[in-house]
């Protein structure tokens, strides 16, 4: 997706020449907080991707777990010789390892569902704006209906039907989120489709699919990118909530939310670390994405004269 | 207007009907409740008898018709687990949820309006900016996480407040309420705050935006020029103007607050409808799941319908549009 907004910077002899992309980068970099958010998020993503090489143990390989090491506080030394940086859970699982593996699931579900919803929502939004009339009415009615229910309720309804599972959660999140994309894209596309370049493309008798995806879509990207960033954070938070309630991912593929739920019962007896550190990881992930999203909104919003 | 209303009502009815189909079929896809409810030791005849008793041997469409017929008579089936009418079960848990949700909504006004007022009057001050930054956190932090932190700090570390349950209740109109006893209030403090965090942020931002919009207006300048005290200008003239959108939004948010109580109730083991539905989903108590979902869908459709009607009556532009 990012490839679509970052035209390859031409190798010009004048390094200061302003291209839209350079202007975008420099405007984004104006906020140190957003840069910090981006840096933290990249770090988190890298840690999640390379988790098998960073973590001292594979938390789901039962042969590596020692139940005797259960519920050790942070800093304890394991039987195998390494230190449990963030302590262990009730199964004797290293929390640091468990957290990075959980982060993988959380990010996968969050980013995956947001992208999937973006594809569905964008397509429907473009269709509604491009064809108008009946199609527009039907799609937007559906959007209105869905947005009148809170997201948690829609997700609850779907998961009550489908049961637990990573794919089920992704599906539930896609159904919850597509409407936001559809509404945003439609609003932008309605304005764009009255422009001359669309008229020109129509005069050339280009097929409607080509006009929609090659001419209309690229010009609807800025608000789409903003919404997508916000929706990733929302998806991660909602997934964590659903998993915490025991409706989300199964116990064999625990995300951060499920890790927090597992440690919840021990928190009242003062063993805070089982819940606390996955919670901090969740928090930092969500906040860093939101910081980036806020700055993107400010930079890409055409209404703010800069 | 009447045609519009009738059309709108039929639409709502159609949505309700569609929802019953979706909810019913959806809930019947999950695992077989027979395996859960009947002990493995039961023999074949016993199994068949229980299945027939629960009506689970009928084809799906017939089960649906039976369900729809029952729903029209206010009977949404009996809970498999509690062996009680599902609707009665939910109605019994409803006061706990309502009292939590209403308290949370009231708290959002009591806390959100003053904070928003301050942030609006001093937008560039340190405190004003801190309040705004805090409101972003209120929007983006998952509710359950904040709930856990509240428990960790106020229940485990400091030991000030109890972490779970409703505490002592007192009866009013034949229903048990927590807000009537000191112990109940202590139990309610954390869940209500937790549930209201999102609304506090919302109210705070609305109030701030309203103040920023209202302050440069002529009638405020006039009130100042008249020599009214700054306090009177702010608390009477400014506040009166921004309360209309705030109250509208808060009223609309009551429905969402009831829905989101699912999370808060699970964290604080608050015995309301939300906790009941999560427990029911986990043990596949279908009639309760269906009854809860139907009830809350009905609630939302009613709220949306009322809002539409109110807007039509209040805003002549909407009225003209529907006529033309």
């Amino acid at each position: 997706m990012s490839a679509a907004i970052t035209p390859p910077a031409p190798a010009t002899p004048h390094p200061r020449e302003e291209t839209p992309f350079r202007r975008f980068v420099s405007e984004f970099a104006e906020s140190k907080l957003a840069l910090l958010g981006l840096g933290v998020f990249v770090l988190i993503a890298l840690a999640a991707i390379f988790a098998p090489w960073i973590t001292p143990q594979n938390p789901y390989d039962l042969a590596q777990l020692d139940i005797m090491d259960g519920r050790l506080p942070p800093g304890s030394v394991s039987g195998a010789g390494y230190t449990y940086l963030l302590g262990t859970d009730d199964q004797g699982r290293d929390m640091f390892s468990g957290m990075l593996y959980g982060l993988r699931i959380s990010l996968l579900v969050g980013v995956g569902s947001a992208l999937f919803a973006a594809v569905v929502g964008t397509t429907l939004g473009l269709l509604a704006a491009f064809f108008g009339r009946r199609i527009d009415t039907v799609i937007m009615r559906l959007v209105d209906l869905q947005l009148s229910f809170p997201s948690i309720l829609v997700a609850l309804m779907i998961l009550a039907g489908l049961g637990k599972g990573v794919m089920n959660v992704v599906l539930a999140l896609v159904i919850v989120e597509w409407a936001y994309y559809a509404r945003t894209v439609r609003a932008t596309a309605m304005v764009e489709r009255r422009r001359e370049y669309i008229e020109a493309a129509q005069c050339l008798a280009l097929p409607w699919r080509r006009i929609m995806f090659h001419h209309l879509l690229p010009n609807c990207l800025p608000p789409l990118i903003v919404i997508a960033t916000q929706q990733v954070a929302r998806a991660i938070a909602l997934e964590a909530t659903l998993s915490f309630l025991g409706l989300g991912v199964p116990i064999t593929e625990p995300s951060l939310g499920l890790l927090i739920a597992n440690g919840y019962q021990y928190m009242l007896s003062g063993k805070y670390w089982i819940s606390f550190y996955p919670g901090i990881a969740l928090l930092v992930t969500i906040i860093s994405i939101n910081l980036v999203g806020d700055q993107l909104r400010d930079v890409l919003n055409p209404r703010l004269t800069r | 207007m009447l045609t519009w209303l009738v059309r709108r009502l039929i639409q709502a009815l159609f949505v309700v009907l569609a929802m019953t189909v979706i909810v019913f079929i959806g809930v019947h896809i999950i695992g077989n409740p027979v395996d859960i409810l009947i002990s493995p030791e039961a023999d074949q005849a016993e199994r068949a008898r229980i299945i027939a008793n629960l009506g689970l041997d009928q084809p799906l469409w017939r089960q649906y018709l039976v369900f729809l017929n029952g729903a029209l008579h206010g009977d949404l089936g009996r809970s498999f687990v509690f062996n009680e009418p599902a609707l009665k079960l939910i109605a019994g848990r409803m006061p706990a949820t309502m009292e939590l949700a209403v308290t949370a909504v009231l708290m959002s006004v009591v806390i959100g309006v003053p904070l928003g007022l301050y942030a609006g009057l001093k937008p560039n001050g340190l405190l004003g900016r801190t309040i705004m930054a805090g409101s972003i956190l209120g929007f983006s932090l998952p509710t359950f996480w904040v709930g856990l932190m509240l428990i960790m700090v106020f229940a485990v570390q400091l030991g000030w407040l109890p972490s779970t349950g409703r505490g002592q209740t007192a009866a009013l109109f034949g229903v048990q309420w927590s807000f009537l006893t000191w112990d109940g209030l202590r139990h309610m403090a954390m869940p209500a705050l937790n549930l209201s965090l999102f609304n506090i942020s919302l109210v705070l931002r609305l109030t701030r935006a309203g103040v920023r919009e209202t302050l440069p207006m002529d009638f405020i300048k006039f009130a100042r020029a008249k020599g009214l005290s700054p306090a009177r200008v702010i608390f009477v003239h400014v506040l009166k103007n921004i309360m209309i959108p705030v109250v509208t939004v808060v009223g609309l948010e009551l429905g969402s607050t009831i829905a989101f109580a699912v999370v808060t109730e699970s964290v604080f083991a608050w015995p309301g409808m939300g906790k009941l539905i999560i427990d029911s989903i986990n043990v596949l108590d279908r009639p309760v799941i269906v009854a809860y979902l139907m009830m809350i869908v009905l609630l939302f459709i009613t709220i949306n319908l009322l809002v539409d009607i109110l807007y039509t009556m209040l805003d002549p532009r909407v009225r003209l549009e529907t006529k033309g």
Side-chain angles (χ1 to χ4, degrees):
Chain A
M1 194 182 242
S2 64
I5 51 143
T6 55
T12 48
H14 308 292
R16 290 231 184 124
E17 189 189 343
E18 199 178 62
T19 65
F21 178 62
R22 284 226 183 99
R23 190 168 62 228
F24 167 73
V25 168
S26 70
E27 278 180 7
F28 182 84
E30 271 170 25
S31 162
K32 295 287 169 283
L33 217 53
L35 280 182
L36 179 74
L38 188 65
V40 170
F41 181 71
V42 168
L43 216 64
I44 289 173
L46 287 178
I49 293 167
F50 295 108
W53 293 277
I54 302 172
T55 55
Q57 64 163 221
N58 177 353
Y60 304 111
D61 179 6
L62 292 178
Q64 292 185 29
L65 301 185
D66 187 353
I67 196 97
M68 298 302 286
D69 282 355
R71 282 170 261 155
L72 291 178
S76 310
V77 178
S78 78
Y82 54 82
T83 314
Y84 294 125
L85 284 175
L86 304 179
T88 61
D89 70 1
D90 52 332
Q91 306 287 322
R93 198 173 279 149
D94 176 35
M95 278 320 293
F96 177 67
S97 311
M99 211 173 82
L100 288 192
Y101 275 79
L103 207 52
R104 290 183 121 188
I105 311 262
S106 290
L107 285 180
L108 198 71
V109 171
V111 176
S113 66
L115 286 183
F116 208 29
V119 172
V120 176
T122 307
T123 310
L124 288 173
L126 283 177
L127 282 173
F130 194 75
F131 289 108
R133 294 165 191 274
R134 262 276 143 78
I135 296 179
D136 188 28
T137 315
V138 170
I139 293 177
M140 290 331 279
R141 258 291 131 111
L142 219 58
V143 168
D144 285 344
L145 179 68
Q146 203 184 318
L147 291 183
S148 65
F149 293 97
S151 52
I152 184 109
L153 191 65
V154 177
L156 206 70
M157 230 186 255
I158 296 160
L159 288 174
L162 296 178
K164 284 184 197 181
V166 174
M167 281 329 283
N168 292 350
V169 175
V170 171
L171 184 67
L173 291 177
V174 169
I175 294 176
V176 167
E177 289 182 349
W178 74 272
Y180 293 92
Y181 292 97
R183 197 176 52 176
T184 311
V185 169
R186 175 184 173 268
T188 321
M190 288 292 258
V191 178
E192 290 293 329
R193 71 175 291 257
R194 296 203 188 92
R195 297 269 170 94
E196 281 95 357
Y197 67 89
I198 297 291
E199 211 175 308
Q202 275 168 334
C203 288
L204 287 173
L206 293 178
W208 61 268
R209 271 185 241 92
R210 195 180 155 80
I211 299 177
M212 215 169 85
F213 289 109
H214 286 234
H215 298 250
L216 200 51
L217 178 60
N219 289 292
C220 298
L221 276 179
L224 188 60
I225 293 164
V226 175
I227 275 272
T229 321
Q230 291 165 345
Q231 291 299 327
V232 169
R234 271 177 54 111
I236 291 175
L238 192 55
E239 183 276 329
T241 305
L242 292 168
S243 294
F244 176 80
L245 293 175
L247 309 174
V249 296
I251 195 92
T252 47
E253 293 166 279
S255 66
L256 291 177
L258 196 56
L259 289 177
I260 296 169
N262 284 342
Y264 178 46
Q265 50 179 316
Y266 300 108
M267 212 172 67
L268 293 178
S269 52
K271 297 186 175 58
Y272 67 93
W273 58 88
I274 307 176
S275 272
F276 184 71
Y277 292 115
I280 292 294
L282 179 69
L283 185 73
V284 172
T285 310
I286 291 173
I287 291 179
S288 65
I289 298 176
N290 275 325
L291 287 178
V292 174
D294 273 7
Q295 181 67 4
L296 280 179
R297 192 189 55 208
D298 289 351
V299 172
L300 293 175
N301 190 347
R303 256 173 291 172
L304 291 177
T305 45
R306 297 177 60 92
Chain B
M1 180 70 194
L2 195 68
T3 2
W4 176 84
L5 192 66
V6 169
R7 205 187 298 158
R8 193 70 186 71
L9 271 172
I10 292 173
Q11 231 170 48
L13 211 66
F14 182 74
V15 172
V16 174
L17 208 64
M19 283 295 176
T20 61
V21 178
I22 293 172
V23 167
F24 186 80
I25 291 179
V27 169
H28 278 70
I29 298 172
I30 5 173
N32 194 351
V34 174
D35 301 333
I36 296 163
L37 292 165
I38 303 173
S39 89
E41 280 116 57
D43 58 25
Q44 209 58 35
E46 176 102 358
R47 267 179 76 92
R49 196 181 55 77
I50 298 176
I51 289 173
N53 252 350
L54 294 172
L56 294 169
D57 55 342
Q58 306 278 338
L60 212 55
W61 63 269
R62 179 161 289 193
Q63 285 190 44
Y64 174 70
L65 285 186
V66 169
F67 159 77
L68 201 62
N69 181 43
L72 285 177
H73 296 92
D75 170 20
L76 288 168
R78 294 178 82 82
S79 158
F80 296 157
V81 177
F82 298 92
N83 197 25
E84 249 186 82
L87 217 53
K88 191 179 152 213
L89 204 60
I90 290 172
R93 302 290 187 94
M94 201 190 265
T97 300
M98 292 314 261
E99 117 181 296
L100 193 63
V102 171
T103 313
V105 164
L106 288 180
M107 271 173 90
S108 68
V109 176
V110 172
I111 299 175
V113 170
L115 286 179
L117 205 59
Y118 185 89
L121 292 173
K122 299 222 165 82
N124 297 319
L126 184 65
L127 191 57
R129 280 191 306 194
T130 313
I131 290 173
M132 287 315 284
S135 79
I136 296 175
L137 289 186
F139 274 129
S140 56
L141 294 187
T143 315
F144 79 94
W145 189 87
V146 179
L148 287 185
M149 289 302 112
L150 285 176
I151 290 183
M152 208 172 103
V153 174
F154 292 106
V156 180
Q157 303 288 333
L158 299 172
W160 288 353
L161 291 167
S163 64
T164 55
R166 257 185 111 179
Q168 200 187 339
T169 54
L172 181 70
F173 305 124
V175 182
Q176 296 291 322
W177 302 99
S178 286
F179 73 92
L180 294 174
T181 67
W182 174 239
D183 185 53
L185 279 177
R186 272 166 46 87
H187 277 81
M188 202 152 74
M190 277 202 293
L193 177 68
N194 186 217
L195 190 55
S196 67
L197 271 183
F198 183 86
N199 287 339
I200 290 178
S201 307
L202 194 68
V203 169
L204 189 163
R205 294 198 145 223
L206 271 176
T207 310
R208 178 180 181 270
V211 171
R212 306 272 295 141
E213 234 168 68
T214 317
L215 276 184
M217 290 210 179
D218 287 341
F219 72 91
I220 297 295
K221 283 183 192 147
F222 176 69
R224 285 223 176 100
K226 228 167 43 168
L228 296 180
S229 71
R232 193 174 160 81
V233 172
I234 288 165
F235 287 107
V236 176
H237 294 246
V238 175
L239 208 58
K240 215 189 217 169
N241 262 279
I242 55 181
M243 278 323 269
I244 298 164
V246 168
V247 168
T248 315
V249 167
V250 162
L252 285 178
E253 281 297 306
L254 184 63
S256 307
T257 310
I258 293 172
F260 272 97
V262 167
V263 180
T264 302
E265 286 177 10
S266 296
V267 173
F268 292 93
W270 185 265
M273 298 191 291
K275 185 155 169 37
L276 177 70
I277 175 72
I278 297 297
D279 293 344
S280 300
I281 291 177
N282 282 328
V283 297
L284 299 183
D285 194 350
R286 282 199 232 161
V288 180
I289 302 174
V290 172
Y292 173 83
L293 290 180
M294 285 321 305
M295 228 195 53
I296 203 129
V297 163
L298 212 59
L299 178 77
F300 269 94
I301 289 173
T302 315
I303 292 177
N304 291 337
L305 191 66
L306 284 180
V307 170
D308 272 7
I309 293 172
L310 274 180
Y311 277 164
T312 323
M313 290 198 302
L314 293 178
D315 191 343
R317 276 170 305 178
V318 181
R319 201 160 53 213
L320 287 176
E321 202 176 285
T322 50
K323 269 187 188 157

